[in-house]
Amino acid sequence: MSVLGYIEDVYAEICRRNPTESEFHQAVAEVLHSLAPALHAHPEYLESRIIERLCEPERQIVFRIPWVDDHGDVRVNRGFRVEFSSALGPYKGGLRFHPSVNLGIVKFLGFEQIFKNALTGMAIGGGKGGADFDPKGRSDGEVMRFCQSFMTELHRHLGERTDVPAGDIGVGSREIGFLFGQYKRITNRFEAGVLTGKPVAWGGSHVRTEATGYGAVYFAQEMLATRGKTLDGRRAVVSGSGNVAVYAIEKVQALGGSVVACSDSSGYVVDENGIDLDLLKEVKEIRRARLSAYVEARPTARFSDRGTVFDVPCDVALPCATQNELGEQDAVALVKNGVLAVAEGANMPCTPEAVGIFREADVLFGPGKAANAGGVATSALEMRQNASRDQWTFAETEDRLATVMRQIHAQSRAAAETYGGAPDDYVLGANITGFLRVAEAMTAHGIV
Ligand code: NDP
């Protein structure tokens, strides 16, 4: 059978065995469609069924999370941890608390994480988890009780050499603190390396908070440089206004660009003077308010809940909110307005149709598993500091992050060319680079 026929068969079987997991199908399709040239070069991977093994998580944990709200009412949520691949190191990937979380979403995120983590060149496997819990509008006490109940079950599956979660949507330093506290209490161990994204004051790494957003901007900068361009003086739009978005905005501004729009799930703000980051942080991080509160404090800006943030003309777009947020119509609008580069700060924010439109229009496109790998890379640096009971300075850590992002960019280009694509086919290059690292380790470990 031809390699392409084999890939189609494997994909059809994955869809059949995992019905209703549309995001997982989408993530698998993107990776498998990149792998034909790598499988031609390594026919032994067909025989050892590496692809089928990679697409089946090593372990999936689904559990009940009972907790009591502030009114004394009992609530029940569902928790997930998908331990996808330990070929390169302990399972590593964040926890997402959002009402939309289900097994298919956690599996797509965990699957992406395998290749992303491999791309960093660090010794980390792939996993992801979360719960269908909505922290919005919940008191600190409720969030704490929820996190404690979540960790009471999950702790038995974790360990600094086994599985190391971090944050994601809805899980920031407050939640990581509650989760760590409960883990410490149950195990009677101050095992700092069991969670990353900890505050710097008690075992966290400098730059971890900033790393995903900063890294995505470094990646955009590297892509632009291949065409002799920089971020200086460019207009950018960023979707989202959470952890990734805020630090992407900060870095674009530091490099001389102007971010004129950002969003949350209620709409978007356009501020032609450039987003005021202090104000944005106060609205979203301290007051945990809706984005419309930004324009109440800054009347020259405007808020809209019609269309999307990608309707705002820009040179660079950084989708940093959630999966499939940037569709065909958005891509058409961006291309029409002359966008030069799109770098995914979020995981799979662009639909396959949107990615096709960018490629056709020769827009530089950095897929999430390459462009947002700075977060997990810095988590791996946090684990390294925890293991050696050391703490590096902000400047030293940021330097290492920048080096990792440059390497991911260069290696993705090189792999794309080696395997017959254009050097700026970063989807092809990132998928093949990540896959070959994992496949080599899996082969060495035998059929396990
Ligand atoms: P946060 O929870 O800090 O922020 C998420 C932002 O996205 C908020 O502005 C939120 O708006 C918006 N958002 C979330 N869900 C939706 C939705 N369904 N529709 C529209 N807007 C939505 O999360 P992060 O910044 O940590 O994560 C953002 C993305 O980056 C995710 O895709 C995540 O997987 C990815 N990522 C994160 C990493 C990290 O280190 N944190 C690492 C690598 C990738 P609202 O406040 O209204 O909900």
Side-chain angles (χ1 to χ4, degrees):
M1 185 195 293
S2 72
V3 166
L4 283 180
Y6 164 77
I7 287 174
E8 287 310 324
D9 283 358
V10 170
Y11 178 66
E13 183 64 3
I14 288 166
C15 294
R16 191 189 66 76
R17 293 183 68 221
N18 303 279
T20 76
E21 296 177 357
S22 58
E23 291 86 359
F24 178 53
H25 302 168
Q26 186 182 333
V28 168
E30 191 231 73
V31 171
L32 294 195
H33 288 138
S34 294
L35 293 187
L39 293 174
H40 273 297
H42 293 277
E44 70 277 15
Y45 292 157
L46 298 184
E47 257 167 60
S48 58
R49 307 248 167 229
I50 293 274
I51 306 275
E52 287 95 319
R53 285 155 63 201
L54 255 179
C55 292
E56 185 69 22
E58 290 178 15
R59 192 174 298 108
Q60 310 185 52
I61 304 144
V62 182
F63 53 100
R64 178 173 69 192
I65 314 163
W67 58 284
V68 180
D69 71 16
D70 284 349
H71 306 290
D73 292 330
V74 176
R75 304 274 179 164
V76 182
N77 285 97
R78 185 173 293 167
F80 304 89
R81 186 71 182 165
V82 174
E83 298 182 332
F84 230 115
S85 168
S86 60
L88 292 175
Y91 309 108
K92 183 85 197 87
L95 298 172
R96 174 176 294 189
F97 291 169
H98 193 273
S100 64
V101 167
N102 58 40
L103 188 59
I105 288 183
V106 177
K107 280 174 69 178
F108 117 66
L109 290 163
F111 185 73
E112 288 279 297
Q113 200 81 46
I114 304 172
F115 304 96
K116 181 192 308 192
N117 294 5
L119 264 177
T120 67
M122 293 169 176
I124 40 179
K128 200 82 187 189
D132 59 355
F133 169 73
D134 189 356
K136 270 199 203 82
R138 292 285 168 204
S139 68
D140 286 352
E142 290 178 316
V143 171
M144 180 182 75
R145 290 193 294 282
F146 175 80
C147 288
Q148 289 174 340
S149 183
F150 183 88
M151 187 52 92
T152 300
E153 172 57 33
L154 192 64
H155 86 277
R156 66 187 95 248
H157 305 287
L158 306 184
E160 60 191 9
R161 295 184 182 180
T162 309
D163 186 350
V164 182
D168 191 83
I169 291 178
V171 178
S173 58
R174 173 182 62 168
E175 290 74 19
I176 292 292
F178 295 146
L179 292 165
F180 186 79
Q182 184 72 350
Y183 182 86
K184 182 168 69 64
R185 187 181 193 191
I186 293 174
T187 60
N188 195 28
R189 285 158 65 93
F190 195 106
E191 193 184 333
V194 75
L195 284 171
T196 59
K198 301 178 293 294
V200 172
W202 50 270
S205 172
H206 285 294
V207 195
R208 176 60 189 90
T209 309
E210 296 83 356
T212 310
Y214 279 17
V217 176
Y218 288 141
F219 199 88
Q221 198 182 21
E222 290 293 313
M223 291 197 298
L224 287 170
T226 64
R227 297 191 179 172
K229 297 186 165 78
T230 67
L231 276 165
D232 194 22
R234 304 267 172 218
R235 275 171 71 93
V237 302
V238 173
S239 65
S241 48
N243 171 263
V244 179
V246 161
Y247 293 99
I249 295 171
E250 184 170 283
K251 188 50 84 180
V252 169
Q253 290 177 343
L255 292 170
S258 175
V259 179
V260 292
C262 67
S263 65
D264 69 7
S265 57
S266 66
Y268 63 95
V269 156
V270 183
D271 189 340
E272 288 293 341
N273 299 318
I275 296 291
D276 178 336
L277 206 56
D278 290 337
L279 176 58
L280 183 67
K281 284 184 185 172
E282 191 211 309
V283 168
K284 296 300 293 185
E285 289 176 7
I286 300 170
R287 288 162 52 194
R288 294 183 189 269
R290 305 277 67 205
L291 196 54
S292 48
Y294 180 100
V295 294
E296 286 158 23
R298 189 132 154 157
T300 51
R302 72 180 167 85
F303 177 81
S304 175
D305 57 7
R306 302 177 112 193
T308 74
V309 71
F310 303 111
D311 295 333
V312 180
C314 63
D315 305 308
V316 175
L318 300 165
C320 295
T322 195
Q323 65 274 1
N324 292 329
E325 56 166 316
L326 195 164
E328 197 171 342
Q329 257 188 321
D330 299 304
V332 168
L334 284 165
V335 168
K336 186 169 139 264
N337 288 326
V339 73
L340 301 170
V342 178
E344 293 187 325
N347 285 310
M348 209 169 74
C350 301
T351 64
E353 294 75 25
V355 176
I357 289 166
F358 293 142
R359 280 221 60 78
E360 211 156 285
D362 201 26
V363 171
L364 290 162
F365 174 72
K369 64 172 74 68
N372 72 37
V376 76
T378 310
S379 276
L381 298 178
E382 182 173 336
M383 290 163 73
R384 214 180 274 181
Q385 291 168 82
N386 292 149
S388 60
R389 296 176 184 276
D390 198 1
Q391 190 167 59
W392 308 330
T393 63
F394 194 98
E396 181 180 352
T397 319
E398 190 180 1
D399 212 40
R400 290 184 190 233
L401 166 65
T403 304
V404 172
M405 295 313 297
R406 270 197 302 274
Q407 283 169 351
I408 290 174
H409 176 266
Q411 287 166 358
S412 299
R413 281 183 78 82
E417 262 195 301
T418 304
Y419 286 90
D424 57 12
D425 189 344
Y426 295 99
V427 174
L428 180 72
N431 283 333
I432 288 186
T433 306
F435 169 73
L436 290 177
R437 286 192 183 143
V438 180
E440 188 183 343
M442 287 175 75
T443 303
H445 296 164
I447 310 296
V448 291

